[in-house]
Amino acid sequence: METGSDGATSQTTHRARRGGGWSAGLLLVVPTVVAACRAADTDGVTPVPQLLAFLPWLLVPAGAAALLALLARMRFLVGWAVTVLVLIGWFVRPYDTGLTEEPPGRAVARLTVLTSNVEFGRATDALVETVRREQPDLVFVQECDYACADALESDVPRTDYPYRNVVAGGTASGSAILSRHPLRPAPGVAGALAMPGSVADVAGRQVALQLAHPLPPVPDAVDDWRRELGLLREHAAEAKDGPSIVAGDFNAGQDHAAFRDILRAGRLSDSATVVGAARTPSWPADLRRPLGTQIDHVLVSEDFSVRKARFLDLPDTDHRSLLVELALHDVR
């Protein structure tokens, strides 16, 4: 009787371990695929682009898999889980802190730049109040509908922002650039949502400005998302020989290969990353670190140093705004 009891217990333990091993393996499939795409510098296919936006979250299933593998005493699964954890951990580490070295050359001007997605114009009133309070030199507005464009005209004095490039549109399609510095027209980037461009005269330097608002990587529009980010990459490459700012809602973050391609092509730096805030989420607005993701950015060329970056909470929008303080240096 004792032998039979021991055998039944052994079989139950074996089944439990085998079940734990299967569960660990299943939990590791998605983190492994996403981490492999991140390491291979590719965004892959749906659902990888969507999951890359939330890469730190994948530490949870990978960690659970590691625990189950340990309990199941399956060395292969333990090694697999640890490898995935180390790989994801490497990519989400706070590697960006302290990279605030100034470029060579004296500072010739200081600029504050605000980018804000006002979600179909709903946060326009809050944006106007923020502009009045913060007095940024350059303002990039996404999802500025017709009512938003009218409000910018009526509620933001021309004496404060005499130079503007506003592309009014319905719901999410409109965008605007407001400037205290003289602007002249420049070709924007073609997209389903307006992405205007301009050139600002700042202390005698011609600074290329480009608003970013590619389509989001929803499953049926990933190809369009990739194509529009590619067009932003081409703009960045063409503008890399002079001072350049690309700002807006990129619908992409540092874990997306298409976003990193923009940085490399234009020799651009992500302002939030430079001052140690690469993982500060900007969307959805009601989530905080470690939840949420950062898809709102101010990218700057090597002519700029970044003094400060702050994410601002505006009511009635699902994005947090980003306010960046820059110095323009005489490096060319």
Short mmCIF file of all heavy atoms in Angstrom, two decimals, residues 165-214:
data_model
loop_
_atom_site.label_atom_id
_atom_site.label_comp_id
_atom_site.label_asym_id
_atom_site.label_seq_id
_atom_site.Cartn_x
_atom_site.Cartn_y
_atom_site.Cartn_z
N ASN A 165 2.39 77.77 -39.59
CA ASN A 165 2.12 76.87 -40.71
C ASN A 165 1.03 75.92 -40.22
O ASN A 165 1.30 74.95 -39.52
CB ASN A 165 3.38 76.10 -41.11
CG ASN A 165 3.17 75.25 -42.35
OD1 ASN A 165 2.06 75.10 -42.84
ND2 ASN A 165 4.25 74.68 -42.86
N VAL A 166 -0.20 76.23 -40.56
CA VAL A 166 -1.36 75.49 -40.07
C VAL A 166 -2.01 74.76 -41.24
O VAL A 166 -2.34 75.37 -42.26
CB VAL A 166 -2.39 76.42 -39.39
CG1 VAL A 166 -3.60 75.63 -38.91
CG2 VAL A 166 -1.74 77.18 -38.24
N VAL A 167 -2.19 73.46 -41.07
CA VAL A 167 -2.91 72.65 -42.06
C VAL A 167 -4.16 72.14 -41.37
O VAL A 167 -4.11 71.15 -40.63
CB VAL A 167 -2.05 71.48 -42.58
CG1 VAL A 167 -2.82 70.69 -43.64
CG2 VAL A 167 -0.73 71.98 -43.14
N ALA A 168 -5.27 72.83 -41.57
CA ALA A 168 -6.52 72.45 -40.92
C ALA A 168 -7.07 71.17 -41.56
O ALA A 168 -6.90 70.93 -42.75
CB ALA A 168 -7.53 73.58 -41.02
N GLY A 169 -7.70 70.35 -40.75
CA GLY A 169 -8.29 69.12 -41.25
C GLY A 169 -9.29 68.57 -40.26
O GLY A 169 -9.36 69.02 -39.12
N GLY A 170 -10.07 67.62 -40.70
CA GLY A 170 -11.06 67.02 -39.83
C GLY A 170 -10.43 66.02 -38.87
O GLY A 170 -9.40 65.41 -39.15
N THR A 171 -11.02 65.87 -37.72
CA THR A 171 -10.62 64.93 -36.66
C THR A 171 -9.11 64.92 -36.45
O THR A 171 -8.55 65.89 -36.00
CB THR A 171 -11.14 63.51 -36.97
OG1 THR A 171 -10.61 63.06 -38.22
CG2 THR A 171 -12.67 63.49 -37.04
N ALA A 172 -8.43 63.81 -36.85
CA ALA A 172 -7.01 63.67 -36.54
C ALA A 172 -6.09 64.21 -37.62
O ALA A 172 -4.87 64.24 -37.44
CB ALA A 172 -6.67 62.20 -36.28
N SER A 173 -6.62 64.67 -38.75
CA SER A 173 -5.77 64.94 -39.90
C SER A 173 -5.06 66.29 -39.87
O SER A 173 -4.06 66.49 -40.56
CB SER A 173 -6.58 64.83 -41.20
OG SER A 173 -7.60 65.81 -41.22
N GLY A 174 -5.54 67.24 -39.06
CA GLY A 174 -4.95 68.57 -39.04
C GLY A 174 -3.71 68.66 -38.17
O GLY A 174 -3.53 67.91 -37.22
N SER A 175 -2.82 69.61 -38.51
CA SER A 175 -1.59 69.84 -37.75
C SER A 175 -1.22 71.31 -37.82
O SER A 175 -1.70 72.04 -38.70
CB SER A 175 -0.43 68.99 -38.29
OG SER A 175 -0.67 67.62 -38.13
N ALA A 176 -0.33 71.74 -36.93
CA ALA A 176 0.07 73.15 -36.92
C ALA A 176 1.47 73.30 -36.34
O ALA A 176 1.86 72.55 -35.44
CB ALA A 176 -0.92 73.99 -36.11
N ILE A 177 2.19 74.28 -36.87
CA ILE A 177 3.46 74.72 -36.31
C ILE A 177 3.33 76.21 -36.03
O ILE A 177 2.99 76.99 -36.93
CB ILE A 177 4.64 74.49 -37.27
CG1 ILE A 177 4.79 73.01 -37.60
CG2 ILE A 177 5.94 75.02 -36.66
CD1 ILE A 177 5.83 72.73 -38.67
N LEU A 178 3.57 76.61 -34.79
CA LEU A 178 3.57 78.02 -34.40
C LEU A 178 5.00 78.39 -34.01
O LEU A 178 5.70 77.60 -33.37
CB LEU A 178 2.63 78.29 -33.23
CG LEU A 178 1.19 77.78 -33.33
CD1 LEU A 178 0.40 78.23 -32.10
CD2 LEU A 178 0.52 78.27 -34.60
N SER A 179 5.41 79.62 -34.34
CA SER A 179 6.79 80.00 -34.08
C SER A 179 6.91 81.48 -33.72
O SER A 179 6.22 82.33 -34.28
CB SER A 179 7.65 79.71 -35.32
OG SER A 179 8.96 80.18 -35.15
N ARG A 180 7.82 81.75 -32.80
CA ARG A 180 8.21 83.13 -32.51
C ARG A 180 9.27 83.61 -33.49
O ARG A 180 9.53 84.80 -33.59
CB ARG A 180 8.75 83.24 -31.08
CG ARG A 180 7.71 82.97 -29.99
CD ARG A 180 8.35 83.11 -28.62
NE ARG A 180 7.40 82.90 -27.55
CZ ARG A 180 6.58 83.84 -27.06
NH1 ARG A 180 6.60 85.06 -27.58
NH2 ARG A 180 5.73 83.56 -26.09
N HIS A 181 9.90 82.68 -34.16
CA HIS A 181 10.96 83.00 -35.12
C HIS A 181 10.42 82.97 -36.54
O HIS A 181 9.50 82.19 -36.84
CB HIS A 181 12.11 82.00 -34.96
CG HIS A 181 12.74 82.01 -33.61
ND1 HIS A 181 13.75 82.90 -33.27
CD2 HIS A 181 12.50 81.26 -32.50
CE1 HIS A 181 14.11 82.69 -32.01
NE2 HIS A 181 13.37 81.70 -31.53
N PRO A 182 10.97 83.77 -37.42
CA PRO A 182 10.48 83.80 -38.81
C PRO A 182 10.49 82.41 -39.45
O PRO A 182 11.44 81.63 -39.27
CB PRO A 182 11.46 84.74 -39.51
CG PRO A 182 11.98 85.62 -38.41
CD PRO A 182 12.06 84.76 -37.20
N LEU A 183 9.43 82.11 -40.18
CA LEU A 183 9.31 80.84 -40.88
C LEU A 183 9.23 81.08 -42.37
O LEU A 183 8.68 82.08 -42.82
CB LEU A 183 8.03 80.09 -40.46
CG LEU A 183 7.91 79.54 -39.04
CD1 LEU A 183 6.58 78.82 -38.88
CD2 LEU A 183 9.07 78.62 -38.69
N ARG A 184 9.75 80.15 -43.12
CA ARG A 184 9.48 80.12 -44.56
C ARG A 184 9.03 78.71 -44.92
O ARG A 184 9.36 77.74 -44.24
CB ARG A 184 10.71 80.53 -45.36
CG ARG A 184 11.94 79.67 -45.22
CD ARG A 184 13.04 80.18 -46.13
NE ARG A 184 14.32 79.51 -45.92
CZ ARG A 184 14.66 78.36 -46.48
NH1 ARG A 184 13.79 77.73 -47.27
NH2 ARG A 184 15.85 77.82 -46.24
N PRO A 185 8.24 78.59 -45.98
CA PRO A 185 7.69 77.28 -46.34
C PRO A 185 8.78 76.29 -46.70
O PRO A 185 9.85 76.64 -47.19
CB PRO A 185 6.80 77.58 -47.55
CG PRO A 185 6.55 79.05 -47.51
CD PRO A 185 7.77 79.65 -46.88
N ALA A 186 8.49 75.03 -46.44
CA ALA A 186 9.38 73.94 -46.84
C ALA A 186 8.50 72.73 -47.11
O ALA A 186 7.43 72.59 -46.50
CB ALA A 186 10.41 73.63 -45.75
N PRO A 187 8.92 71.87 -48.00
CA PRO A 187 8.10 70.67 -48.27
C PRO A 187 7.94 69.84 -47.01
O PRO A 187 8.92 69.57 -46.29
CB PRO A 187 8.92 69.91 -49.33
CG PRO A 187 9.82 70.94 -49.94
CD PRO A 187 10.13 71.92 -48.85
N GLY A 188 6.72 69.46 -46.73
CA GLY A 188 6.48 68.57 -45.61
C GLY A 188 6.60 67.12 -46.05
O GLY A 188 7.03 66.82 -47.16
N VAL A 189 6.23 66.22 -45.17
CA VAL A 189 6.25 64.80 -45.46
C VAL A 189 4.83 64.36 -45.79
O VAL A 189 3.90 64.65 -45.04
CB VAL A 189 6.81 63.99 -44.28
CG1 VAL A 189 6.63 62.50 -44.48
CG2 VAL A 189 8.28 64.33 -44.06
N ALA A 190 4.66 63.67 -46.89
CA ALA A 190 3.34 63.22 -47.31
C ALA A 190 2.85 62.10 -46.40
O ALA A 190 3.60 61.18 -46.07
CB ALA A 190 3.38 62.74 -48.76
N GLY A 191 1.60 62.21 -45.99
CA GLY A 191 1.03 61.17 -45.14
C GLY A 191 -0.47 61.30 -45.08
O GLY A 191 -1.05 62.31 -45.52
N ALA A 192 -1.13 60.29 -44.54
CA ALA A 192 -2.58 60.35 -44.39
C ALA A 192 -2.99 61.47 -43.44
O ALA A 192 -4.06 62.07 -43.59
CB ALA A 192 -3.10 59.01 -43.89
N LEU A 193 -2.14 61.76 -42.45
CA LEU A 193 -2.34 62.86 -41.52
C LEU A 193 -1.32 63.94 -41.85
O LEU A 193 -0.19 63.63 -42.22
CB LEU A 193 -2.17 62.37 -40.08
CG LEU A 193 -2.97 61.12 -39.71
CD1 LEU A 193 -2.61 60.65 -38.30
CD2 LEU A 193 -4.47 61.38 -39.82
N ALA A 194 -1.71 65.20 -41.70
CA ALA A 194 -0.85 66.30 -42.14
C ALA A 194 0.46 66.33 -41.36
O ALA A 194 0.47 66.26 -40.12
CB ALA A 194 -1.58 67.63 -41.97
N MET A 195 1.57 66.42 -42.11
CA MET A 195 2.90 66.53 -41.51
C MET A 195 3.63 67.68 -42.20
O MET A 195 4.51 67.47 -43.05
CB MET A 195 3.67 65.21 -41.64
CG MET A 195 3.09 64.09 -40.82
SD MET A 195 4.15 62.61 -40.70
CE MET A 195 3.76 61.80 -42.26
N PRO A 196 3.29 68.93 -41.82
CA PRO A 196 3.90 70.09 -42.48
C PRO A 196 5.36 70.28 -42.09
O PRO A 196 5.82 69.83 -41.04
CB PRO A 196 3.05 71.26 -41.97
CG PRO A 196 2.51 70.79 -40.66
CD PRO A 196 2.29 69.32 -40.82
N GLY A 197 6.09 70.97 -42.97
CA GLY A 197 7.47 71.32 -42.70
C GLY A 197 7.68 72.81 -42.89
O GLY A 197 6.92 73.47 -43.60
N SER A 198 8.69 73.34 -42.27
CA SER A 198 9.04 74.76 -42.38
C SER A 198 10.53 74.91 -42.12
O SER A 198 11.20 73.97 -41.68
CB SER A 198 8.26 75.62 -41.38
OG SER A 198 6.87 75.59 -41.62
N VAL A 199 11.05 76.10 -42.37
CA VAL A 199 12.41 76.46 -42.00
C VAL A 199 12.34 77.71 -41.14
O VAL A 199 11.74 78.72 -41.54
CB VAL A 199 13.30 76.71 -43.23
CG1 VAL A 199 14.68 77.18 -42.79
CG2 VAL A 199 13.41 75.45 -44.07
N ALA A 200 12.90 77.63 -39.94
CA ALA A 200 12.88 78.77 -39.01
C ALA A 200 14.23 79.46 -39.02
O ALA A 200 15.28 78.81 -39.06
CB ALA A 200 12.56 78.29 -37.60
N ASP A 201 14.19 80.78 -38.99
CA ASP A 201 15.41 81.59 -38.88
C ASP A 201 15.64 81.86 -37.39
O ASP A 201 14.94 82.66 -36.77
CB ASP A 201 15.24 82.89 -39.65
CG ASP A 201 16.52 83.72 -39.68
OD1 ASP A 201 17.30 83.65 -38.71
OD2 ASP A 201 16.75 84.43 -40.67
N VAL A 202 16.63 81.17 -36.82
CA VAL A 202 16.93 81.31 -35.39
C VAL A 202 18.35 81.84 -35.27
O VAL A 202 19.32 81.15 -35.60
CB VAL A 202 16.81 79.97 -34.66
CG1 VAL A 202 17.13 80.14 -33.18
CG2 VAL A 202 15.42 79.38 -34.85
N ALA A 203 18.47 83.08 -34.84
CA ALA A 203 19.78 83.72 -34.68
C ALA A 203 20.61 83.62 -35.95
O ALA A 203 21.82 83.41 -35.92
CB ALA A 203 20.53 83.10 -33.50
N GLY A 204 19.93 83.77 -37.08
CA GLY A 204 20.62 83.72 -38.36
C GLY A 204 20.89 82.33 -38.89
O GLY A 204 21.42 82.17 -39.99
N ARG A 205 20.52 81.29 -38.11
CA ARG A 205 20.68 79.90 -38.57
C ARG A 205 19.36 79.40 -39.12
O ARG A 205 18.30 79.67 -38.56
CB ARG A 205 21.12 78.99 -37.42
CG ARG A 205 22.62 78.93 -37.17
CD ARG A 205 23.17 80.23 -36.69
NE ARG A 205 24.59 80.14 -36.36
CZ ARG A 205 25.31 81.18 -35.96
NH1 ARG A 205 24.75 82.38 -35.81
NH2 ARG A 205 26.60 81.02 -35.70
N GLN A 206 19.44 78.66 -40.21
CA GLN A 206 18.25 78.12 -40.84
C GLN A 206 17.99 76.72 -40.27
O GLN A 206 18.75 75.78 -40.53
CB GLN A 206 18.42 78.06 -42.35
CG GLN A 206 18.74 79.40 -42.98
CD GLN A 206 17.69 80.45 -42.68
OE1 GLN A 206 16.52 80.32 -43.06
NE2 GLN A 206 18.09 81.51 -41.97
N VAL A 207 16.95 76.62 -39.46
CA VAL A 207 16.64 75.38 -38.75
C VAL A 207 15.48 74.68 -39.45
O VAL A 207 14.37 75.23 -39.53
CB VAL A 207 16.29 75.64 -37.28
CG1 VAL A 207 15.98 74.32 -36.57
CG2 VAL A 207 17.43 76.37 -36.58
N ALA A 208 15.71 73.49 -39.96
CA ALA A 208 14.65 72.72 -40.61
C ALA A 208 13.70 72.17 -39.55
O ALA A 208 14.13 71.53 -38.58
CB ALA A 208 15.25 71.57 -41.42
N LEU A 209 12.41 72.44 -39.73
CA LEU A 209 11.39 71.95 -38.81
C LEU A 209 10.50 70.95 -39.54
O LEU A 209 10.06 71.21 -40.67
CB LEU A 209 10.52 73.10 -38.29
CG LEU A 209 11.22 74.30 -37.66
CD1 LEU A 209 10.18 75.33 -37.22
CD2 LEU A 209 12.07 73.86 -36.47
N GLN A 210 10.22 69.84 -38.90
CA GLN A 210 9.31 68.85 -39.49
C GLN A 210 8.40 68.29 -38.40
O GLN A 210 8.87 67.81 -37.37
CB GLN A 210 10.09 67.70 -40.13
CG GLN A 210 9.23 66.59 -40.69
CD GLN A 210 8.27 67.10 -41.76
OE1 GLN A 210 8.69 67.71 -42.74
NE2 GLN A 210 6.97 66.86 -41.58
N LEU A 211 7.10 68.41 -38.63
CA LEU A 211 6.13 67.83 -37.71
C LEU A 211 5.93 66.36 -38.09
O LEU A 211 5.79 66.03 -39.26
CB LEU A 211 4.81 68.59 -37.77
CG LEU A 211 3.72 68.15 -36.79
CD1 LEU A 211 2.92 69.37 -36.31
CD2 LEU A 211 2.76 67.14 -37.42
N ALA A 212 5.91 65.50 -37.09
CA ALA A 212 5.74 64.06 -37.31
C ALA A 212 4.38 63.60 -36.80
O ALA A 212 4.01 63.90 -35.66
CB ALA A 212 6.84 63.28 -36.60
N HIS A 213 3.65 62.90 -37.65
CA HIS A 213 2.39 62.26 -37.23
C HIS A 213 2.02 61.15 -38.22
O HIS A 213 1.02 61.25 -38.93
CB HIS A 213 1.26 63.29 -37.12
CG HIS A 213 0.08 62.77 -36.35
ND1 HIS A 213 -1.19 63.31 -36.47
CD2 HIS A 213 -0.05 61.76 -35.45
CE1 HIS A 213 -2.02 62.67 -35.69
NE2 HIS A 213 -1.35 61.72 -35.05
N PRO A 214 2.82 60.10 -38.26
CA PRO A 214 2.48 58.96 -39.12
C PRO A 214 1.28 58.20 -38.55
O PRO A 214 0.93 58.35 -37.37
CB PRO A 214 3.74 58.10 -39.08
CG PRO A 214 4.34 58.41 -37.75
CD PRO A 214 4.06 59.88 -37.50
#
